[in-house]
Amino acid sequence: MKHQCKQVRCLLVALMLAITPNDADAGFAEALPKNTFLLDIQYNFSWLEGAWDNNASMGPLIPVIERYEPGGGKQGTLIPDASVRYHVMVFQLQYGIVDWLSFGFGVPVVIETSINPRLKWVSGDFQPVLGRAYSETDFWQWAESMGQPKPEKWVGNKGVLGDLVLGLRLRWTDWIPGIEKAQVASALTITGAIPTGKKADPEEIVSAGTTMWDLQTQGNISIHLGVDKYFEKELDGRLIIGADVFYDWFAPQRYKSPRGLRNPLLANFAPYIGDSYIIKPGDFFGASLQFDVIAVKGPVKASWISGYDEVRAAGFPPLLTLSFRYTFIKLGQTDYHSQSDLWDYTQEDRWRPGFRNILTITTLFSFLRLGAPLQLYFTYRSLSLIPGKNTRAADVFTTGLRIPAKFW
């Protein structure tokens, strides 16, 4: 039973991956002007094939699985080379209540998720009954004789809703007289997730859900304090340096225990862990440092957007902005609670405290100065370039479209 527990725990690691829809704002303290709407539509593609272990070394998502003959020698070793892909659309709408207070909500929709375990086999000890060691075919024939199929590629979450997100941004430095002379702005951002996402199917060996815990996007409650430093006089406004500190809290979640309905050997925990179990994900503590470089300010056109006022049009965002962000996230211990302390320990061992080092590069094109209410951006976000610890090494490519509008 202990070995079976370890085997399934290893396979279920592929349920989680780190994918974060990116924030394309050029700064941490920006707030929409009063009565202004901003529609943001983005597509995210994430790929994941490795994880940073407890020694900050890159390894497989799923550890190797050693199989033994009941009461006998080693059958062989299963070597997973799991590959995960996520396609996610995110729809965001923000509104400027006043110049220093914005409200927004986001709707993530998963287009599709795929997980391919890509299991390989290394033969073990000589088996007297067979007259040779188990081949890969021998092993799976043995497993299938007991009702356990070979785990194949899983594809799901087609058009499935994730957790909805609501948020407020308060630029509190607007209340400080003369703060603009220091060319500094700071904002407090608070977001909360509504649990509308889908949890992973407990009967599948490899599968994934669409909750914030599955997507590793943010906590159920997220608090950010951001600061931006501008250089309008010194550098002609071509550089913004921003810093952000944040805390993400994850709420405990209850999951149904697998009963082995489709995988009797690898996913039949309910008899000894209970009908359900609780996961309390480890919270996030982190900080970001960002440099926004105004590469091209672009020409100024007095159009209908600016009320045919050239001075007003000159205050619109530049044509091309390049953003470079580094983020460090400290990961807390994830706790499992079931009727089996042994099972809890084996799960928690894969979600020990660790950290992430994230690099994000964004290219933002804004056509407001040219008379078009449109912004286009491309973002690459990587957890694989700089080593982390006890975390998945996902990479994400994002392309998005932003449309500002004002109706009154």
Side-chain angles (χ1 to χ4, degrees):
M1 184 66 73
K2 179 177 179 180
H3 178 73
Q4 177 183 339
C5 172
K6 179 179 178 181
Q7 180 179 13
V8 180
R9 165 183 63 82
C10 295
L11 285 171
L12 291 179
V13 168
L15 293 178
M16 311 299 180
L17 77 162
I19 170 176
T20 303
N22 299 280
D23 183 359
D25 290 342
F28 295 111
E30 286 194 345
L32 287 176
K34 182 179 179 180
N35 297 331
T36 301
F37 291 88
L38 181 64
L39 176 64
D40 188 325
I41 303 173
Q42 61 178 234
Y43 163 74
N44 298 270
F45 171 64
S46 175
W47 61 99
L48 172 65
E49 297 189 349
W52 300 108
D53 62 20
N54 195 52
N55 298 315
S57 299
M58 181 66 76
L61 284 172
I62 305 174
V64 299
I65 305 168
E66 295 182 340
R67 288 294 311 178
Y68 291 86
E69 190 76 7
K74 184 178 180 180
Q75 294 176 331
T77 303
L78 284 171
I79 303 177
D81 182 25
S83 174
V84 183
R85 299 290 184 270
Y86 253 99
H87 302 266
V88 183
M89 292 293 299
V90 180
F91 304 88
Q92 301 177 70
L93 182 64
Q94 300 177 46
Y95 174 67
I97 301 173
V98 292
D99 288 343
W100 44 266
L101 181 64
S102 299
F103 168 78
F105 68 89
V107 182
V109 179
V110 179
I111 301 174
E112 182 181 281
T113 309
S114 64
I115 304 176
N116 190 350
R118 299 190 299 194
L119 296 175
K120 301 175 183 178
W121 176 260
V122 176
S123 297
D125 299 333
F126 176 82
Q127 301 294 330
V129 176
L130 295 177
R132 52 181 170 79
Y134 269 96
S135 67
E136 182 175 8
T137 301
D138 294 331
F139 172 76
W140 288 114
Q141 286 179 344
W142 170 81
E144 288 173 1
S145 70
M146 292 182 286
Q148 175 60 56
K150 180 180 180 180
E152 301 292 348
K153 181 178 180 179
W154 176 86
V155 178
N157 293 333
K158 295 186 176 183
V160 177
L161 184 67
D163 288 348
L164 301 180
V165 178
L166 303 177
L168 280 174
R169 171 168 287 183
L170 172 67
R171 194 169 58 201
W172 59 274
T173 49
D174 282 22
W175 303 341
I176 302 177
I179 189 66
E180 65 276 1
K181 294 181 180 180
Q183 302 180 81
V184 173
S186 178
L188 177 67
T189 304
I190 301 176
T191 62
I194 301 175
T196 54
K198 176 185 177 183
K199 295 178 180 178
D201 185 345
E203 298 299 335
E204 292 288 349
I205 294 299
V206 288
S207 67
T210 64
T211 68
M212 284 299 172
W213 171 232
D214 290 282
L215 298 179
Q216 295 280 286
T217 303
Q218 65 171 61
N220 295 92
I221 296 178
S222 182
I223 302 174
H224 289 250
L225 180 62
V227 179
D228 291 331
K229 170 61 178 175
Y230 303 90
F231 297 88
E232 294 291 344
K233 299 178 181 179
E234 300 86 346
L235 301 174
D236 191 29
R238 289 186 175 272
L239 176 66
I240 302 172
I241 299 179
D244 179 50
V245 293
F246 57 89
Y247 167 65
D248 285 280
W249 174 79
F250 286 91
Q253 302 180 53
R254 183 176 294 274
Y255 288 81
K256 292 182 179 179
S257 302
R259 295 181 170 276
L261 301 180
R262 291 192 288 272
N263 295 279
L265 295 185
L266 301 180
N268 185 16
F269 298 157
Y272 67 99
I273 72 171
D275 293 333
S276 65
Y277 59 95
I278 295 174
I279 299 178
K280 172 55 181 79
D283 296 338
F284 296 168
F285 300 86
S288 296
L289 179 65
Q290 178 166 305
F291 296 88
D292 297 312
V293 179
I294 311 305
V296 180
K297 287 193 173 183
V300 176
K301 180 179 179 180
S303 65
W304 62 275
I305 301 176
S306 61
Y308 298 97
D309 185 337
E310 188 169 323
V311 175
R312 185 180 178 186
F316 287 158
L319 178 62
L320 174 60
T321 302
L322 303 177
S323 298
F324 306 89
R325 180 185 300 186
Y326 166 71
T327 301
F328 175 84
I329 301 178
K330 178 67 175 177
L331 310 173
Q333 173 68 56
T334 293
D335 296 321
Y336 281 69
H337 300 279
S338 74
Q339 294 180 8
S340 169
D341 292 338
L342 173 61
W343 189 83
D344 294 346
Y345 171 79
T346 57
Q347 305 306 308
E348 293 168 356
D349 187 56
R350 289 294 296 173
W351 294 98
R352 285 176 286 178
F355 57 84
R356 294 175 182 164
N357 288 300
I358 307 172
L359 289 180
T360 305
I361 301 174
T362 298
T363 301
L364 172 65
F365 297 92
S366 178
F367 303 102
L368 293 170
R369 287 189 174 206
L370 303 180
L374 181 68
Q375 293 181 321
L376 180 66
Y377 60 90
F378 304 91
T379 298
Y380 171 64
R381 180 178 183 271
S382 177
L383 282 80
S384 64
L385 294 178
I386 303 178
K389 181 178 179 180
N390 294 325
T391 187
R392 315 310 175 230
D395 290 324
V396 186
F397 172 75
T398 300
T399 180
L401 184 67
R402 304 168 69 187
I403 303 174
K406 190 172 184 179
F407 302 103
W408 57 80

